[in-house]
Amino acid sequence: MLNTTHSVLDLPDGAKIAYEILGTQHLSSCQPLVLIGGMSSRRTDWERLANSLSHASLSLWNSEALVFTEQGMGDSKLTPEKDERITIESLARDLLALLAHLQWKDLSLCGFSMGGVITQQLLFLPYHPTRPVNLPFRATHVLLAGTLCSTLKDPRYGLRINRNVPDRQLTLDEKREMARGTLESTFDPAWLANPMNFKRFQWWLERMISGGR
């Protein structure tokens, strides 16, 4: 199980990135794997995979795994002003700051959903037209799952995000209703229609609006 205690990286703008490293016993012998989650995900969402990788008995799969939470979600925090504009590029630069802090020279990247887009943006930062930056590491392997390499234009797919957010603190019921459409768009409609999955969906919904465990 992931620890309730974790490390925190303080970014120059005052934001905080929560992260945890599993399998540190493999640091000298194996290459670390960076797990990058999707929208609203937290480091705890990687628990089963990260623990399996860090405790595998076969030396081929032994790996140090880095799990973290993107800015503004879960244990990670926004800047004190809380007025920043979060973009894929800004999230990629946050990840770059974290990897630079860890000083790993060779690593593998695994991005899921939005995390896959962040991964791709990270690798293209050296070619940014106005703010290029060198990567202080070498990515030897890149794994992309459930993600895109271009803008999704088909209206039948993608996350349904409610942009009509009132300028005040939301109640739990309001958060629940705003998150419901986004969460539903990540599941198969047939799965959602099955009454046996109702409790499981509600569990995800409550977890999504509460900020984690």
Side-chain angles (χ1 to χ4, degrees):
M1 180 177 291
L2 299 182
N3 295 325
T4 53
T5 57
H6 53 272
S7 299
V8 175
L9 173 66
D10 293 316
L11 297 177
D13 61 2
K16 300 178 183 295
I17 303 298
Y19 69 95
E20 188 172 346
I21 301 172
L22 290 84
T24 53
Q25 67 272 23
H26 305 307
L27 181 59
S28 61
S29 59
C30 294
Q31 183 171 297
L33 172 64
V34 182
L35 300 172
I36 306 143
M39 182 181 290
S40 80
S41 68
R42 289 160 292 277
R43 59 190 177 85
T44 51
D45 292 335
W46 291 104
E47 181 175 332
R48 291 184 180 181
L49 177 59
N51 279 326
S52 296
L53 291 172
S54 63
H55 294 101
S57 58
L58 297 176
S59 59
L60 176 64
W61 293 107
N62 279 347
S63 177
E64 183 180 36
L66 167 67
V67 290
F68 72 101
T69 304
E70 281 106 0
Q71 185 181 154
M73 293 182 279
D75 299 319
S76 295
K77 305 300 179 185
L78 299 170
T79 61
E81 294 77 16
K82 298 182 179 180
D83 60 354
E84 57 265 53
R85 181 171 178 264
I86 296 179
T87 64
I88 294 297
E89 181 184 337
S90 71
L91 294 174
R93 292 183 184 273
D94 289 347
L95 176 55
L96 174 59
L98 176 56
L99 295 176
H101 169 72
L102 295 173
Q103 298 184 337
W104 290 338
K105 299 305 179 184
D106 291 299
L107 51 82
S108 298
L109 300 166
C110 177
F112 173 74
S113 191
M114 187 181 76
V117 182
I118 295 171
T119 301
Q120 294 171 77
Q121 178 68 80
L122 171 69
L123 296 175
F124 277 98
L125 285 179
Y127 311 100
H128 195 282
T130 58
R131 297 176 59 204
V133 58
N134 292 328
L135 302 181
F137 59 84
R138 182 172 69 109
T140 61
H141 300 80
V142 178
L143 298 87
L144 302 175
T147 190
L148 299 168
C149 60
S150 62
T151 304
L152 182 62
K153 298 181 179 180
D154 192 325
R156 296 176 299 171
Y157 305 106
L159 297 176
R160 298 192 298 273
I161 300 175
N162 188 340
R163 302 183 185 278
N164 299 317
V165 182
D167 187 20
R168 58 174 173 77
Q169 183 69 36
L170 300 178
T171 67
L172 281 178
D173 284 340
E174 288 174 326
K175 290 181 180 180
R176 191 176 291 112
E177 289 311 306
M178 291 191 69
R180 186 181 301 278
T182 302
L183 185 60
E184 285 178 345
S185 64
T186 66
F187 287 89
D188 186 324
W191 187 92
L192 289 171
N194 188 336
M196 295 182 64
N197 297 323
F198 176 77
K199 288 185 177 180
R200 180 64 173 171
F201 178 83
Q202 290 299 120
W203 179 87
W204 275 111
L205 181 61
E206 294 303 316
R207 191 168 186 274
M208 186 174 182
I209 67 171
S210 66
R213 295 174 185 176

